[in-house]
Amino acid sequence: MWPSFCRLQVFCMSLAVLAVLVLVHNFHQFEHLDHNTVSGLNWIIETSDQQSSSPTTKTTRRHYCDYEHQTLSKREQAEEESLFAAIQWPNPPLGKIPFIRSTDPAHSSFVILNSHVRFKVGDQLEVLVHMKDFQGKPKQYGGDYIQARIHSPLLKAGATGRVVDDQNGFYKVFFTLLWPGDVRVSVSLVHPSEGIQVLQRLREERPDRVFFKSLFRSGSTSETTVCNVCLPGELPVCNFTDLFTGEPWFCYKPRKLSCASRINHAKGGYQKGLLTPSESLFFQTDVNIKVPVLPSGPDSVTVEPLGFTESANLDRSQGPDIFPLGYYYQDEWRPRTRWIRHFNKTADISKCLQGKVVHLFGDSTIRQWFEYLTTFVPDLVEFNLGSPKNVGPFLSVDLKHNVLLKFRCHGPPIRFTTVFSSELRYIANELNGIVGGRNTVIAITVWSHFSTFPVEVYIRRLRNIRRSIIQLLDRSPKTLVVIRTANVQELGPEVSLFNSDWYSFQLDTVMRKMFSGIAVFFVDAWEMSLAHYLPHNLHPQDIIVKNQIDAFLSFVCPSET
């Protein structure tokens, strides 16, 4: 009896000691769990627009995808529905379409419908595109993404066309003839409708196909974890959601370090194996990605000139439905809704920017503006801030003319090599810190780095930026704000899955609509890149950038004519 009682007593004491040890361990773990991680769990669980400051013991959701749980006002919800309606794209019939029945540009063709007409400058040219599959059979549905332009190589002239999908395999393209001489038509299939369907699926289902990383360091201990707007799984996360804008950003929590020890942000890489073998057939270079569609008859017309007064009126067309918005002639961009100055001399640029502070916010396509101005204008001298190459922030100063030129990249997602955490700034927050005034000039572009995410993520970012712009213009109405639109680029099978022109076109449409109706100006980089004869490039060549700068500076210093 006694030995049994002793064994029972020893067992109970051991159990009590074990319980105390577990309690102490859990208490230590709870104290080690930093505020960022705890509030990150709260953010997802409670789907609130405000970051919680109290710990939680609830279980986490499977995905940290804040854009799925936004709380929108009725006005924001109506706007979002309108934006999605504007970018709605026709889908192929239900079911898998075999490659042989997909759109084949080699079998397809276009014809000029009114080639018999005697054209004058200002007339409309109509083109009919007929799409067929790889068996040469006519397509019965639409949804192909087509780009079209007219051009005169000898005149270095070009303009884009407006494509209308009849959703039966036929597409109409309308061009406004804007200069005299021999004008040629070019039509290209960017993606077949079957490929667009794949791009839509990737955008909604694989927001992680570009992944990011952050380095955490404390003393000699360092760890790297994956970061994104959306993180799968049930691992603990660090929540780096911006407290002012509510822009979400998460990193998996390091095993040994706190979330506060993050020191940088960088692009991690691109996911592979995103497509099935049958889907990959819709993305082939020289087969169905940016392949010319050839004419079935004449591909050019002769255009007769107008008188001087008629030409001047044509170049000053008004109205919201003007298309195209501009054209090239002798390698100079000519907008149709306003006068433009061409700043061919450095002295003219210095005079225009004298006494100005110029803020450039966005990605590498607006960083080109900083690089162009700093290189072209001798008095603008870059001040070495010790920033990483191609990342920034950058600063140039012209002491003679009292000019300050700045560039700063937008906040994550940003696919630059490495950005210090302290330099990750959201444009909306930066705008809130600018006093503004007649000597303040701001240019913004945000598009390329959002192409892999659902459109809701992009809408949220622009909504925050727009709110800050409105507040800035309210307190400082003389501040000049310019929006640079997206541009086309060279595409291959891999690039198409991450940065397709179709993605960019959709984001560009959203951008224009969200910033219309407020006192901002647009530099139409889309038409400038699509209408030019040079090969498409994510970073357009200098002559295109020069025309963008001319358009930008024409807002800063309008023509006195």
Side-chain angles (χ1 to χ4, degrees):
M1 178 71 179
W2 181 254
S4 298
F5 177 76
C6 289
R7 283 196 298 271
L8 180 62
Q9 191 176 30
V10 170
F11 175 76
C12 290
M13 290 181 63
S14 300
L15 197 62
V17 170
L18 181 62
V20 170
L21 290 174
V22 170
L23 181 63
V24 171
H25 174 74
N26 286 344
F27 184 77
H28 173 75
Q29 287 294 98
F30 180 77
E31 285 199 321
H32 184 70
L33 188 65
D34 69 296
H35 170 75
N36 280 331
T37 304
V38 174
S39 60
L41 304 183
N42 286 342
W43 180 277
I44 299 304
I45 295 164
E46 299 178 8
T47 64
S48 170
D49 278 347
Q50 299 296 324
Q51 187 178 24
S52 172
S53 59
S54 59
T56 180
T57 56
K58 298 179 182 179
T59 56
T60 62
R61 296 181 64 91
R62 177 165 173 74
H63 290 82
Y64 295 85
C65 297
D66 181 78
Y67 63 84
E68 295 177 349
H69 311 293
Q70 292 185 62
T71 302
L72 303 178
S73 67
K74 288 185 178 180
R75 187 173 183 177
E76 290 171 338
Q77 190 172 0
E79 179 187 47
E80 199 158 290
E81 290 173 358
S82 174
L83 292 170
F84 275 103
I87 61 173
Q88 187 177 11
W89 202 266
N91 284 321
L94 294 176
K96 287 190 174 181
I97 306 294
F99 171 70
I100 199 169
R101 288 173 51 197
S102 67
T103 307
D104 176 19
H107 277 99
S108 305
S109 62
F110 74 84
V111 61
I112 298 175
L113 291 178
N114 54 346
S115 59
H116 60 283
V117 174
R118 183 179 176 182
F119 291 105
K120 284 189 175 183
V121 171
D123 288 344
Q124 191 170 76
L125 183 68
E126 297 180 20
V127 170
L128 183 67
V129 184
H130 189 194
M131 292 301 194
K132 298 181 179 180
D133 62 23
F134 283 85
Q135 294 177 314
K137 296 180 180 179
K139 296 292 294 290
Q140 302 298 318
Y141 53 88
D144 298 312
Y145 179 36
I146 293 171
Q147 291 174 349
R149 70 185 183 104
I150 50 174
H151 55 111
S152 298
L154 294 179
L155 297 174
K156 294 184 178 179
T160 61
R162 180 167 59 89
V163 180
V164 177
D165 185 353
D166 288 341
Q167 300 190 31
N168 58 4
F170 288 92
Y171 300 79
K172 292 188 181 71
V173 188
F174 299 94
F175 300 97
T176 301
L177 300 169
L178 296 166
W179 62 87
D182 184 60
V183 177
R184 295 171 55 186
V185 175
S186 291
V187 177
S188 293
L189 173 72
V190 182
H191 293 298
S193 56
E194 298 79 13
I196 296 293
Q197 194 173 34
V198 176
L199 295 179
Q200 287 177 313
R201 176 183 68 79
L202 291 177
R203 183 171 64 185
E204 298 305 318
E205 298 178 5
R206 296 301 305 269
D208 63 333
R209 63 190 186 279
V210 174
F211 60 95
F212 304 86
K213 60 185 180 180
S214 275
L215 175 65
F216 297 77
R217 179 182 294 158
S218 179
S220 60
T221 303
S222 61
E223 296 181 58
T224 300
T225 70
V226 171
C227 309
N228 217 320
V229 168
C230 182
L231 290 177
E234 299 178 358
L235 295 174
V237 298
C238 296
N239 180 13
F240 296 111
T241 297
D242 184 70
L243 292 174
F244 296 100
T245 64
E247 292 287 352
W249 192 254
F250 303 103
C251 295
Y252 286 124
K253 188 183 184 303
R255 288 175 295 176
K256 299 179 181 179
L257 300 175
S258 71
C259 295
S261 62
R262 182 176 70 149
I263 65 170
N264 68 26
H265 162 92
K267 179 182 71 177
Y270 298 88
Q271 298 283 6
K272 305 294 183 181
L274 296 169
L275 305 182
T276 65
S278 58
E279 287 177 333
S280 64
L281 296 175
F282 301 136
F283 299 92
Q284 300 183 67
T285 301
D286 297 329
V287 175
N288 49 17
I289 300 177
K290 281 203 175 181
V291 178
V293 176
L294 300 179
S296 60
D299 66 346
S300 64
V301 296
T302 301
V303 182
E304 297 178 1
L306 292 176
F308 178 79
T309 304
E310 294 172 306
S311 297
N313 290 334
L314 181 69
D315 279 351
R316 287 185 292 169
S317 303
Q318 299 294 325
D321 298 324
I322 295 298
F323 190 91
L325 292 171
Y327 63 100
Y328 283 105
Y329 191 79
Q330 297 296 350
D331 247 352
E332 289 186 343
W333 182 251
R334 298 185 176 186
R336 298 179 63 205
T337 57
R338 60 182 175 83
W339 295 107
I340 189 173
R341 296 177 60 187
H342 294 286
F343 293 80
N344 299 320
K345 298 178 180 179
T346 60
D348 293 336
I349 297 179
S350 297
K351 182 180 178 181
C352 175
L353 293 180
Q354 186 161 358
K356 299 285 193 297
V357 178
V358 182
H359 301 267
L360 305 177
F361 295 115
D363 54 37
S364 57
T365 60
I366 206 165
R367 189 189 70 222
Q368 285 187 280
W369 290 14
F370 178 90
E371 293 164 346
Y372 178 89
L373 287 170
T374 301
T375 302
F376 186 70
V377 182
D379 292 329
L380 266 176
V381 179
E382 184 172 357
F383 186 85
N384 186 2
L385 297 174
S387 302
K389 184 180 179 182
N390 298 334
V391 175
F394 298 125
L395 176 70
S396 286
V397 180
D398 178 354
L399 294 176
K400 181 179 178 181
H401 300 93
N402 194 27
V403 179
L404 187 61
L405 177 67
K406 301 179 179 182
F407 163 78
R408 181 176 289 279
C409 68
H410 63 69
I414 191 82
R415 297 180 209 154
F416 289 167
T417 49
T418 302
V419 185
F420 293 117
S421 300
S422 59
E423 296 294 354
L424 286 175
R425 313 282 182 83
Y426 289 97
I427 294 175
N429 291 339
E430 292 295 297
L431 293 173
N432 290 339
I434 295 175
V435 175
R438 64 172 65 251
N439 289 324
T440 301
V441 180
I442 297 168
I444 300 169
T445 192
V446 180
W447 59 279
S448 180
H449 298 253
F450 287 80
S451 59
T452 57
F453 297 98
V455 180
E456 293 93 331
V457 178
Y458 186 61
I459 292 174
R460 180 177 198 156
R461 182 62 56 89
L462 294 192
R463 189 175 283 137
N464 280 319
I465 293 172
R466 182 179 63 187
R467 184 183 301 115
S468 293
I469 289 175
I470 292 172
Q471 292 171 352
L472 171 60
L473 294 177
D474 189 45
R475 65 179 181 266
S476 301
K478 298 295 184 180
T479 307
L480 178 70
V481 180
V482 177
I483 306 296
R484 180 204 185 276
T485 72
N487 59 260
V488 297
Q489 64 174 302
E490 182 183 8
L491 296 180
E494 186 173 21
V495 174
S496 295
L497 307 184
F498 305 99
N499 257 45
S500 167
D501 279 358
W502 183 78
Y503 288 136
S504 300
F505 177 66
Q506 294 237 304
L507 297 182
D508 191 68
T509 301
V510 169
M511 178 199 297
R512 292 171 192 264
K513 287 188 172 294
M514 290 192 70
F515 286 112
S516 64
I518 63 175
V520 300
F521 299 92
F522 289 91
V523 170
D524 197 343
W526 186 268
E527 286 194 21
M528 287 187 182
S529 58
L530 183 56
H532 204 272
Y533 56 83
L534 284 172
H536 295 174
N537 196 320
L538 174 61
H539 301 107
Q541 295 188 33
D542 281 352
I543 185 60
I544 299 176
V545 175
K546 192 264 184 195
N547 278 286
Q548 293 174 7
I549 294 291
D550 286 348
F552 167 59
L553 294 177
S554 294
F555 293 126
V556 180
C557 306
S559 173
E560 296 178 359
T561 305

